[in-house]
Amino acid sequence: MLKPREAVLAVPLYHPPLAGREGLRLDFNENTVGCSPRVLERLRGLDPEQLVKYPERGPAEAAVAGFLGVPSDEVLLTNGVDEAIHLLCETYLEADDEAVIVVPTYSMYRIYAMATGARVVEVAAGEDFAFPAETLIERVSGRTRLICVANPNNPPGSVASREDLLRIARSAPDAALLVDEAYYEFYGQTMLGAWRELPNVYVARTFSKAYGMAGLRLGVLAGDAEQMKSVRRVASPYNVNAVALGCVPEAIADQGYVEGYVAEVREGRERLKKALGVYGIRFWPSQANFILMRVGLTKTDSAKFVEQMRRRGMLVRDRSSDHGCEGCVRITLGPKEHVDRMLAALQEVVEELGIAQGASPR
Ligand SMILES: Cc1ncc(COP(=O)(O)O)c(C=O)c1O
């Protein structure tokens, strides 16, 4: 009988929502409004010829490199950051190598790493999800070939300092260090260009979050030009579709749109923090477009909360299964009108479930 590789069978199942996300989508950290009107205009005016031809990545890649202020040979456009992670796993991990991740974090690092047959080494975040730089460095072994750090991290929204990231890259020269900056626009600090000094550093960015283009699947992997040559070997030549490529120049040209959206999200973040403070609900300060909060002590509590929010038309994400996140829920922020609606629903749910709790233990 046909049998998948053992490593594939060991990969934990990830259940993305593939249908039926009805309501205000505050569950997957997307832009809750949409993309720049300039992108929409470009979409309407796309030449049908673009759909007939295999997509040509070059010009869009050069435009993105120019925008990031790095040469084109340091940049690869990808099918979302997800593909960037996948490509790094394919490039560096042999079976029985080690990939080091911090937990809790974004699920796909583990999934792609495990699929190669590599062992995933989990380093638990510190108190209040602090970045565990020391422990991570201690856990790097002679077999470590990949280290993935989401900065800001998802779901807690916490960050790693530049010094810590550089220290890690220096202490593990035989491992690729992926700094996943999917939420960069909400944070504002980057490791872009760090590979000039430390060629094992990679940075990933996405158009799925602040730019509001998750459906187009467009990400960026940037790193040392020599190292990128190996990554390109395993990438599909047509990994990014023509529609996404056609829209990129407009998306990066309209920074006013992105900045306006980010400013609204930051305001919403402050309003939610304030409301949670009033209810006495424990939360963790976030540098991204979401906040992780503890709405109870168990998975049942968080499931009830998610269901009550859903009944009020708000989709929020239960994170109870993540390391250190029992009873926790993550809510994505958007512009004022969406935050107004979310806060109104939150107030009702807090009252209905009686979850105003004072500071709860982590
Ligand atoms: C840290 C992190 N990286 C990557 C992604 C996925 O990005 P993309 O849509 O570009 O594949 C997410 C999405 O939630 C994320 O939280």
Side-chain angles (χ1 to χ4, degrees):
M1 198 180 90
L2 182 64
K3 204 161 169 271
R5 288 187 291 119
E6 288 300 326
V8 171
L9 294 174
V11 170
L13 283 180
Y14 179 64
H15 297 284
L18 297 177
R21 279 174 74 209
E22 304 301 331
L24 183 55
R25 292 180 297 273
L26 308 178
D27 49 351
F28 279 84
N29 305 338
E30 297 141 319
N31 180 313
T32 65
V33 184
C35 57
S36 149
R38 285 183 60 167
V39 171
L40 295 179
E41 191 60 30
R42 174 58 65 91
L43 272 176
R44 284 188 205 99
L46 272 185
D47 181 353
E49 175 83 1
Q50 296 299 113
L51 302 186
V52 179
K53 292 193 299 184
Y54 280 108
E56 294 170 357
R57 210 174 49 209
E61 210 154 73
V64 169
F67 170 65
L68 296 177
V70 300
S72 296
D73 58 359
E74 295 182 354
V75 167
L76 175 70
L77 292 184
T78 58
N79 199 273
V81 170
D82 283 353
E83 193 200 14
I85 303 163
H86 198 174
L87 292 175
L88 289 180
C89 290
E90 290 298 308
T91 306
Y92 294 108
L93 292 175
E94 308 259 23
D96 299 327
D97 280 345
E98 290 176 359
V100 177
I101 63 172
V102 173
V103 289
T105 196
Y106 183 53
S107 321
M108 298 312 291
Y109 307 137
R110 163 193 302 284
I111 289 177
Y112 290 134
M114 282 184 72
T116 66
R119 211 164 67 76
V120 174
V121 175
E122 290 184 355
V123 180
E127 186 71 21
D128 288 327
F129 301 110
F131 183 64
E134 290 307 325
T135 329
L136 195 157
I137 290 171
E138 280 164 21
R139 298 293 296 277
V140 169
S141 80
R143 295 235 59 145
T144 307
R145 293 286 173 271
L146 179 64
I147 302 167
C148 297
V149 177
N151 200 36
N153 194 12
N154 170 18
S158 51
V159 293
S161 71
R162 181 178 182 82
E163 295 68 40
D164 279 347
L165 292 169
L166 290 173
R167 220 146 49 88
I168 288 167
R170 265 188 220 111
S171 69
D174 297 333
L177 169 63
L178 170 63
V179 184
D180 177 348
E181 298 183 352
Y183 302 99
Y184 160 75
E185 291 79 8
F186 306 102
Y187 175 44
Q189 296 194 33
T190 183
M191 292 294 283
L192 217 56
W195 51 82
R196 305 272 153 63
E197 222 186 295
L198 297 160
N200 55 333
V201 175
Y202 283 94
V203 167
R205 294 274 184 89
T206 187
F207 287 83
S208 298
K209 308 296 181 185
Y211 284 82
M213 295 160 67
L216 283 178
R217 307 305 301 128
L218 187 64
V220 183
L221 180 66
D224 171 72
E226 249 341 274
Q227 293 294 324
M228 291 296 290
K229 280 185 192 164
S230 301
V231 179
R232 283 179 213 279
R233 281 173 182 242
V234 290
S236 156
Y238 309 120
N239 59 341
V240 179
N241 70 76
V243 179
L245 293 176
C247 291
V248 167
E250 296 303 320
I252 54 181
D254 197 356
Q255 285 304 304
Y257 180 81
V258 176
E259 284 161 18
Y261 186 75
V262 168
E264 290 203 72
V265 164
R266 286 195 170 142
E267 232 176 277
R269 208 164 60 187
E270 291 312 306
R271 289 178 67 204
L272 177 56
K273 278 161 65 175
K274 207 165 147 199
L276 294 171
V278 169
Y279 301 138
I281 293 178
R282 181 81 192 273
F283 66 91
W284 287 271
S286 164
Q287 300 290 334
N289 64 338
F290 53 81
I291 289 185
L292 183 73
M293 64 201 71
R294 174 157 280 142
V295 297
L297 292 176
T298 65
K299 201 173 169 51
T300 316
D301 295 331
S302 55
K304 268 192 210 155
F305 179 93
V306 169
E307 173 54 19
Q308 286 297 327
M309 290 294 275
R310 192 193 61 76
R311 286 190 193 169
R312 289 161 178 84
M314 304 289 136
L315 304 184
V316 300
R317 188 91 191 272
D318 192 340
R319 302 274 18 169
S320 249
S321 307
D322 290 50
H323 179 92
C325 298
E326 297 79 9
C328 289
V329 163
R330 188 192 66 203
I331 299 185
T332 304
L333 281 323
K336 183 172 182 311
E337 188 237 326
H338 290 165
V339 175
D340 286 346
R341 283 166 57 194
M342 179 268 290
L343 288 177
L346 178 66
Q347 179 167 5
E348 285 182 21
V349 172
V350 163
E351 282 165 14
E352 169 132 359
L353 297 178
I355 54 176
Q357 56 192 304
S360 63
R362 192 177 143 198

